[in-house]
Amino acid sequence: MTASLEQLCRDVRALLLDFDGPVCSIFANYPAPQVARELLDLLVSQGLALTNELAEESDPLEVLRHTGSSTDQELTRLVEDALIAAEVKAASTAEPTAYGREAIVAARQLHLPIAVVSNNSPQAVDAYLREHRLSQHVAKTVGRAYADPSRMKPNPTPIVDAAASLGVVPALCVLVGDSLSDIEGAKAAGTRVIGYANKPAKVAAFQEAGADAVVTSMRQIAQALMQVEGL
């Protein structure tokens, strides 16, 4: 644990959490590539000819993002609805991230309001939080805007909206995220950001992207918050 991480936890007044990564692995038992394939099959069934690049896409969010870049809003809504259903199904078997719950509880013991800010659907996030008895700790869920993937992170809008929902200015919030889109979105929104490097290669990438702190385990965040509580 670094002194900068502890100081960061002292300075902020709200905790924003990305969902898939810091809180859980949503597609742990319903793999993302399988979901992506199902979405691509849906597109084909609607008469869409896939490019070679799209046909090989393994990230369902990128399939939605690609669909949303077209002018066919009906098709975007069709893919959105299918992805929501898949995410809700995946949430029922998602694997909790080690020490994610402890970080949430530690933040609440400090009376820090918490929001989850996710590119996943709010329905899936809320289903997971209910199933794992975390709803009482999370004040707000800001999930993917319906059929408007252009508003997904790295767009800063959901992060700004989450801060506003908690009544805290962005500069006094910290976002914990496990992707470069989280880092980029947080910086654009004016919030502090902790990169959760759940893969070794992410450490240098997050540092280069300008994360205020980088951790390799949610345990480090939980410990830093508990350290603040103990002061």
Side-chain angles (χ1 to χ4, degrees), residues 14 16 115 117 140 142 157-170 173 191:
L16 312 180
V117 190
K140 182 68 175 179
V142 179
T157 300
I159 301 171
V160 172
D161 289 348
S165 74
L166 299 179
V168 181
V169 297
C173 297
T191 68

Side-chain angles (χ1 to χ4, degrees), residues 4 11 26 68 91 135 171 201 224:
S4 62
D11 291 343
I26 184 172
S135 297

Side-chain angles (χ1 to χ4, degrees), residues 17 19-20 23-24 26 84 87-92 94 114-144:
L17 292 169
F19 177 63
D20 186 18
V23 177
C24 71
I26 184 172
I84 290 172
E87 288 174 326
V88 171
K89 177 181 176 180
S92 67
I114 300 170
V116 172
V117 190
S118 178
N119 283 348
N120 296 117
S121 67
Q123 295 92 328
V125 175
D126 288 339
Y128 178 88
L129 295 178
R130 287 193 302 270
E131 176 69 20
H132 293 266
R133 304 186 309 281
L134 289 169
S135 297
Q136 68 269 31
H137 299 301
V138 177
K140 182 68 175 179
T141 295
V142 179
R144 184 177 65 245

Side-chain angles (χ1 to χ4, degrees), residues 15 17 23 100-109 114 134 137-138:
L15 176 64
L17 292 169
V23 177
R101 183 183 189 89
E102 287 81 353
I104 290 172
V105 172
R108 292 302 297 131
Q109 290 175 339
I114 300 170
L134 289 169
H137 299 301
V138 177

Side-chain angles (χ1 to χ4, degrees), residues 17-189:
L17 292 169
D18 179 38
F19 177 63
D20 186 18
V23 177
C24 71
S25 177
I26 184 172
F27 294 115
N29 294 293
Y30 184 12
Q34 179 181 342
V35 177
R37 185 70 258 164
E38 291 168 0
L39 297 180
L40 292 171
D41 289 344
L42 176 61
L43 290 173
V44 170
S45 75
Q46 297 299 307
L48 185 70
L50 304 181
T51 64
N52 289 339
E53 181 180 4
L54 180 58
E56 295 176 359
E57 181 57 64
S58 61
D59 184 343
L61 293 177
E62 291 305 314
V63 175
L64 176 63
R65 201 188 296 272
H66 180 277
T67 308
S69 67
S70 72
T71 58
D72 191 336
Q73 188 61 21
E74 182 177 350
L75 190 60
T76 301
R77 288 194 294 268
L78 190 66
V79 172
E80 175 72 64
D81 290 341
L83 180 52
I84 290 172
E87 288 174 326
V88 171
K89 177 181 176 180
S92 67
T93 58
E95 292 185 358
T97 297
Y99 298 99
R101 183 183 189 89
E102 287 81 353
I104 290 172
V105 172
R108 292 302 297 131
Q109 290 175 339
L110 281 175
H111 305 292
L112 293 179
I114 300 170
V116 172
V117 190
S118 178
N119 283 348
N120 296 117
S121 67
Q123 295 92 328
V125 175
D126 288 339
Y128 178 88
L129 295 178
R130 287 193 302 270
E131 176 69 20
H132 293 266
R133 304 186 309 281
L134 289 169
S135 297
Q136 68 269 31
H137 299 301
V138 177
K140 182 68 175 179
T141 295
V142 179
R144 184 177 65 245
Y146 180 78
D148 189 2
S150 67
R151 291 170 60 89
M152 294 194 299
K153 295 173 290 182
N155 187 321
T157 300
I159 301 171
V160 172
D161 289 348
S165 74
L166 299 179
V168 181
V169 297
L172 293 179
C173 297
V174 61
L175 172 72
V176 181
D178 72 328
S179 70
L180 287 173
S181 65
D182 291 316
I183 310 297
E184 182 181 340
K187 292 178 74 65

